[in-house]
Structure formats: C-alpha cells, structure tokens
Amino acid sequence: MKRTRNAVRNVIFGGLLKGYQILVPFIMRTLLIRYLGMEYLLISQKCMNIKMNMKVPTCIVVLIFTLSTVNVFAQNDYKWGEWTTWGDQGDGTYCNPVLPSDYSDIDCIRVGDDYYAISSTFQYSPGMVIIHSKDLVNWTIKGHVVSNLRQISEEMNWTRMNRYGRGIWAGAIRYYQGKFYVYFGTPDEGYFMSTATDPAGPWEPLHCVKAEKGWDDCCPFFDDDGQLYFVGTHFADKYKTYLYRMTPDGKTLIENSKILINEGYGREASKLYKINGTYYHFFSEVKNGGRYIMMQRSSSITGPYLERKQLSHVQREYNEPNQGGLVEGPDRKWYFFTHHGTGDWAGRIASLLPVYWVDGWPIIGEVGQDGIGTMVWQAAKPSNEYPVRTPQSSDDFSKSVLSPQWEWNYQSRDEMWSLTERPGYLRLKAFRPLVTDNLLKAGNTLTQRCFRTNKNEVIVKMNIEGMVDGQKAGLCHYSKSYAMVGVRQSGKDRNLEFQTNKEKITGPAIKGNKVWIKSVWGLDGKSQFSYSTDGRKFTPFGEVYQLEWGYYRGSRIGIYCFNNIADAGYIDVDEFIYLY
C-alpha cells in the first residue's frame, strides 16, 4: 500500500514538475519579450541552453533576477536620431521609428485585414497622402486624397505659392458603409472632406464642411444608430473643442447642435472612439513646456466627459510622440501609430507604440509606476505573416502617371510637364519663377520625403539637350532654406552650379547632353552633392549642406527646372534612384 501511495505521489508530482518545466520557460520567454524586446532575441539561444538544464527553483530565481535587472537601455537609453536600424528587423520584431521620414499628423484605421493611415501634406500636391500596411510596421504609399489644391485656395497654386507652413493640416480617416471618409482642416480656409470606395482613388472633389479660418485637427464619428458627429478645435479661440452633429451625407455641420467638450492651451489632435460601449475623446495638450497625450471618456458621446486620464508623458528627449491613431492589431492587441510632434530636419517621423489597457484606459507605451506611458523602441511585431516593405522611392518614369511617392511643391502647372511626350522620361519644361532665382518661388519642383537612416543616396540622371539661355535644372534639398546642384545655361554655355539661399558657386563646363547629380547623407542630415558625366565616376561639388526643419516640414529632396528670363527650355529626366 505504501509503495502504491508513493508511486501515485511520484506520478502526480512528476507530472506537476514536468508541467512547471514546460510552463516556466514559456512564461520567462513571454515576459522577456515583453520587457526586453530585441535584447531578448540577442540572448535567447544562451538562455534556452541554460533554461533547459535548470531546476525549477533556479529557473524562477533567474526569472526574478532578470526582471529586476532588466537592461533598461532597451527602451530608455536611446538618443534621438542615432538609431542604426528601424522598422521590420526580419526576426519577428520591429524597431522604432517604423517610418524615419516626414509622416506628420497621422491617423490610422483598420478595414478587414488592412491598415490605412493618412498624413498631412501642407502645400504639397497631390495632398493628404494615404499609406497602407498589413501589419502596422511595413508601409507603402497608396495614393492621395486631394488631386488639385486649387479646390482649397488659389494661394496654393503655382501662380501664388503662398501657403508655406499652412495648407493641409491634420485630419482623420474613417470607413463607413463601404466608403472611406477623410476630413481635414486648413488654418486659413476651414474644414474639408472627401470620400472614395478605394483608398487609392479616385476621390470625390473636395467639399467644404466649414468655411472659417482658425480651426484645426478634426475627426468624424459614425455612431451605431446612424447618427454622424464631428469634433474640431477652434485654436483661434483659446483651443476650444466642439462636438457637432452632421447631416446623413457627412457634408454639413449642424451649427446649432455644437457642444463644448474641451478647452485649454494647446489642446488639439482630437479623435473620437467608441470601445466596448464607452465613448473616448482623444486629444493632446501642452503643459510645463511639452505636449503629451490625454483622453476623456463618457457613457454618452455628448458628455459630460467627467473622467480624464493622461496616457503618456511629454518625452521631449524623444521628440514628443503625441498625434496618431489607436487601432487593434492583427494579433488582437492594441497599438498607437503616431508621429513625433517636435520636428527636426527629417520632419515629424512615425513610430508604432504598444497600448496596454489599464482600468479601461489605453496607456500608450511602457506603463510606468505612475500609470502613464513612455516610449518603446523595440517590440514584437503584431504579425509575422508579411514581408518587409518600405515606401516607394526610385522611379524610371516608365508609367503614364506619376508614382505615388511624388508630390509637387504647390499645385503644378500641368502643361509644363509630361510623361508621354518622350515615353520613359519625365519632361520638365522651364518657366519663370515668381521671384527670380528663388527655388521656393519656382513652380513645378517635384519632390519626395527624405529619410533619416544610416545612408541615403539619391542619383538623378538628366538629358539636358533641350536647355536654353536662362534655364537652371538639377537636384535640390529644401525646407525653409535650400541647396541645389545642377546645370545653369547662360547663352550657349552650360556650367555646373551650386546654389543656396546664401551663396552661389560656379563649377566646370558641361559639354555633353547627359549629367548625373548625386546627394548622399546619413543620420546627421549633412548632404554632400556630387556630379558625373558618365554615370560612373562622381566628383564632389559644392559645400556640405545641413538639411533643416522649416515651415513645420522636414527637408525634401527634389528635381527643379526653371528659367529666370523666359518660359522656355526643358529637361528629360531618365531615372531617379533613391536608396535608403
């Protein structure tokens, strides 16, 4: 009998021990991924060897020791702008930023298994860019909402170019009854909206929802009962935020329905959500010299919003992640896709932060002892089913329409460029700038966002056979200041020229009809231009140029072509290569 009891006891305790030996390493792995992210992967093989030979008590001691001595630099010892890796790491993890480029004023939604986000574009055309992802980490450019900025104002046309730092500001994207809806504000003209059945377009012509200056950061809300709402901030009147009812088509605000739901210095970035029957109003505000994320909630969309919670700290050292969209990931966990609101030469770049629900509040990032979130630099990907993808950049101009990575500086003069006059080339026809020899007042400059990565290399190949007297064409960087390297023609003579808003340097004569211009920069944003006449040997030319932040935008890379004395001459761009 005693032997039987011992045998039974051994079986029971042996089973429990075996269960612990399986369970505890699993718990350790889960917690280590949660707290260490990428750092765990670097030591996982060693840990696995150790864990397999541990007794359970030893394993628990190591677990406790590991969590009590977590290598905090995995999240907190990063210095802004010094990341050596970003986005999808190819091993089931990602590193922030996921988009080290100027994707400002983000909003994000999920539609089925797809994620769509929008980003403000200010004076660039087409306006309000849409990007797409399957996993919230890998993003490509889908298209734009606004095909013609003249729908907003003539000030955004090439004839005036008078909206630097203004134009299309933050907005929101939503999906309702088979349609995509995008709403946004411009500080001078008011609120606008458009709809489409396909986010790639075509989008309906813009409709002005509210024609009044001084408003920003709006968001629609489509309630379960079919009633449509709209929230927006009157920043010109002490940042008062109002809730409106809308007409069923979502095109008109019912003015006598407006309710004041928030006010306070710098309160903007409004979003409305309904989660598990509770209405949440997301916003950011400014206190003690920095912007951070807040939320208020109510059982009714009209309020009162009596409960309020701070979701993240200011984090000036990480350029203040503070405006974006809350979304459920493919792993059924929640995430916050956000820009970093303090801009630098790369603009307001984008990160993906895990969200942890605490007492019904979506805390953004690592939850501190105070219950408020902080920046997370490394984490497990929401899904491992999709390949690494990055926004489009290079172009051989073989299509009959411009690729979606391109945006004109202001609305283009359409008869002065073509992709069909010489198939396989982009033809840019020169015309006089609004201000002589000023890149920022020269129409039809074609641009892309710059990335802040270890190494960026851009090469543009141009055929300059069609250049004439007074014409300039080449490669440029600009924000509020600019630097450009290209060919200048005076009479029949062509010379290389480096020009900024402060100086000009004349270079060697260009004899042939082909020229290659290159710009190379790294994490420090210091660009060195060079040129070639054969596409193989490049010679540095011009001063090193520091890319800069200006007009709420990061520095752009672009192709310019203008003529200071006549509407005459052209170049044919054969290829634009951007490796980042």
Side-chain angles (χ1 to χ4, degrees), residues 138-209:
N138 294 283
W139 294 89
T140 56
I141 303 170
K142 194 73 172 177
H144 294 78
V145 175
V146 187
S147 60
N148 192 328
L149 300 183
R150 295 178 63 187
Q151 297 176 84
I152 298 172
S153 171
E154 288 292 334
E155 301 298 317
M156 300 181 72
N157 196 34
W158 65 269
T159 54
R160 299 187 185 179
M161 303 181 74
N162 194 31
R163 282 293 183 266
Y164 283 109
R166 307 183 79 78
I168 295 176
W169 281 10
I173 181 170
R174 293 293 182 265
Y175 184 75
Y176 179 65
Q177 294 185 345
K179 279 188 177 182
F180 291 87
Y181 289 73
V182 168
Y183 292 72
F184 64 86
T186 71
D188 298 290
E189 292 82 19
Y191 288 130
F192 297 84
M193 63 84 66
S194 181
T195 65
T197 55
D198 183 345
W203 286 79
E204 292 184 355
L206 288 183
H207 179 81
C208 184
V209 177

Side-chain angles (χ1 to χ4, degrees), residues 432-453:
R432 282 171 288 189
L434 300 180
V435 176
T436 300
D437 220 25
N438 184 338
L439 178 68
L440 300 184
K441 290 294 185 178
N444 282 22
T445 299
L446 188 60
T447 80
Q448 292 189 27
R449 292 161 179 80
C450 291
F451 279 74
R452 188 169 190 169
T453 60

Side-chain angles (χ1 to χ4, degrees), residues 267-336:
R267 291 185 181 176
E268 52 187 19
S270 285
K271 300 289 186 299
L272 290 172
Y273 302 97
K274 186 178 185 180
I275 302 171
N276 295 330
T278 298
Y279 295 91
Y280 292 88
H281 172 223
F282 173 103
F283 63 98
S284 69
E285 68 180 13
V286 177
K287 284 185 181 178
N288 301 320
R291 182 174 292 279
Y292 54 89
I293 302 167
M294 294 288 296
M295 184 172 267
Q296 55 184 7
R297 67 188 182 191
S298 173
S299 60
S300 169
I301 191 170
T302 56
Y305 288 90
L306 302 178
E307 296 181 275
R308 185 170 291 178
K309 172 69 177 177
Q310 183 175 343
L311 303 184
S312 73
H313 284 289
V314 171
Q315 303 175 93
R316 290 182 65 85
E317 69 275 24
Y318 301 140
N319 281 27
E320 300 179 336
N322 60 36
Q323 180 153 321
L326 287 168
V327 66
E328 187 177 22
D331 55 1
R332 305 194 70 177
K333 298 178 182 178
W334 284 76
Y335 295 88
F336 182 58

Side-chain angles (χ1 to χ4, degrees), residues 535-562:
R536 295 185 296 273
K537 181 182 177 182
F538 283 82
T539 302
F541 179 66
E543 303 292 336
V544 172
Y545 173 70
Q546 175 62 62
L547 278 58
E548 294 183 352
W549 162 262
Y551 297 121
Y552 298 111
R553 306 303 296 164
S555 187
R556 288 264 172 151
I557 186 79
I559 307 169
Y560 67 91
C561 178
F562 61 87

Side-chain angles (χ1 to χ4, degrees), residues 7 66 76 204 210 242 255 258 264 269 277 283 354 372 395 425 439 454 492 508 534 541 577:
T66 302
N76 297 329
E204 292 184 355
K210 186 177 183 66
Y242 293 95
E255 286 289 341
K258 75 176 183 179
F283 63 98
I372 301 174
D395 200 348
Y425 291 79
L439 178 68
N454 277 325
K492 295 183 178 180
D534 61 11
F541 179 66
I577 300 172

Side-chain angles (χ1 to χ4, degrees), residues 228-496:
L228 278 59
Y229 296 90
F230 179 94
V231 63
T233 297
H234 195 191
F235 69 85
D237 184 20
K238 301 178 181 179
Y239 289 91
K240 293 177 181 176
T241 299
Y242 293 95
L243 179 73
Y244 294 84
R245 284 190 290 113
M246 289 196 291
T247 53
D249 60 3
K251 293 183 176 181
T252 304
L253 304 185
I254 302 174
E255 286 289 341
N256 62 8
S257 72
K258 75 176 183 179
I259 300 171
L260 179 67
I261 62 170
N262 200 10
E263 68 175 307
Y265 178 66
R267 291 185 181 176
E268 52 187 19
S270 285
K271 300 289 186 299
L272 290 172
Y273 302 97
K274 186 178 185 180
I275 302 171
N276 295 330
T278 298
Y279 295 91
Y280 292 88
H281 172 223
F282 173 103
F283 63 98
S284 69
E285 68 180 13
V286 177
K287 284 185 181 178
N288 301 320
R291 182 174 292 279
Y292 54 89
I293 302 167
M294 294 288 296
M295 184 172 267
Q296 55 184 7
R297 67 188 182 191
S298 173
S299 60
S300 169
I301 191 170
T302 56
Y305 288 90
L306 302 178
E307 296 181 275
R308 185 170 291 178
K309 172 69 177 177
Q310 183 175 343
L311 303 184
S312 73
H313 284 289
V314 171
Q315 303 175 93
R316 290 182 65 85
E317 69 275 24
Y318 301 140
N319 281 27
E320 300 179 336
N322 60 36
Q323 180 153 321
L326 287 168
V327 66
E328 187 177 22
D331 55 1
R332 305 194 70 177
K333 298 178 182 178
W334 284 76
Y335 295 88
F336 182 58
F337 187 38
T338 178
H339 81 188
H340 293 257
T342 302
D344 58 23
W345 67 260
R348 288 177 284 177
I349 67 173
S351 287
L352 181 69
L353 302 182
V355 169
Y356 301 99
W357 286 88
V358 179
D359 297 328
W361 297 104
I363 306 303
I364 294 171
E366 190 72 25
V367 183
Q369 293 183 351
D370 57 3
I372 301 174
T374 56
M375 181 66 190
V376 171
W377 287 98
Q378 303 168 339
K381 283 175 56 183
S383 172
N384 291 318
E385 296 183 16
Y386 305 101
V388 175
R389 302 193 68 185
T390 55
Q392 304 93 307
S393 57
S394 298
D395 200 348
D396 63 4
F397 304 106
S398 60
K399 300 177 182 178
S400 59
V401 295
L402 277 174
S403 299
Q405 64 265 35
W406 292 109
E407 294 170 358
W408 300 98
N409 187 26
Y410 288 91
Q411 186 61 39
S412 62
R413 186 175 175 182
D414 288 341
E415 73 273 17
M416 302 302 281
W417 68 276
S418 174
L419 286 165
T420 58
E421 289 186 19
R422 186 179 180 184
Y425 291 79
L426 167 67
R427 175 161 291 181
L428 293 176
K429 303 175 184 180
F431 56 96
R432 282 171 288 189
L434 300 180
V435 176
T436 300
D437 220 25
N438 184 338
L439 178 68
L440 300 184
K441 290 294 185 178
N444 282 22
T445 299
L446 188 60
T447 80
Q448 292 189 27
R449 292 161 179 80
C450 291
F451 279 74
R452 188 169 190 169
T453 60
N454 277 325
K455 184 177 181 180
N456 295 257
E457 180 179 280
V458 170
I459 300 174
V460 62
K461 178 184 177 183
M462 305 185 305
N463 185 303
I464 57 175
E465 185 177 3
M467 288 187 70
V468 299
D469 184 28
Q471 187 178 351
K472 294 185 176 186
L475 188 66
C476 63
H477 285 285
Y478 73 94
S479 54
K480 198 168 186 177
S481 65
Y482 59 84
M484 43 201 269
V485 167
V487 179
R488 180 198 68 205
Q489 181 151 341
S490 298
K492 295 183 178 180
D493 297 326
R494 294 172 181 165
N495 286 83
L496 203 66

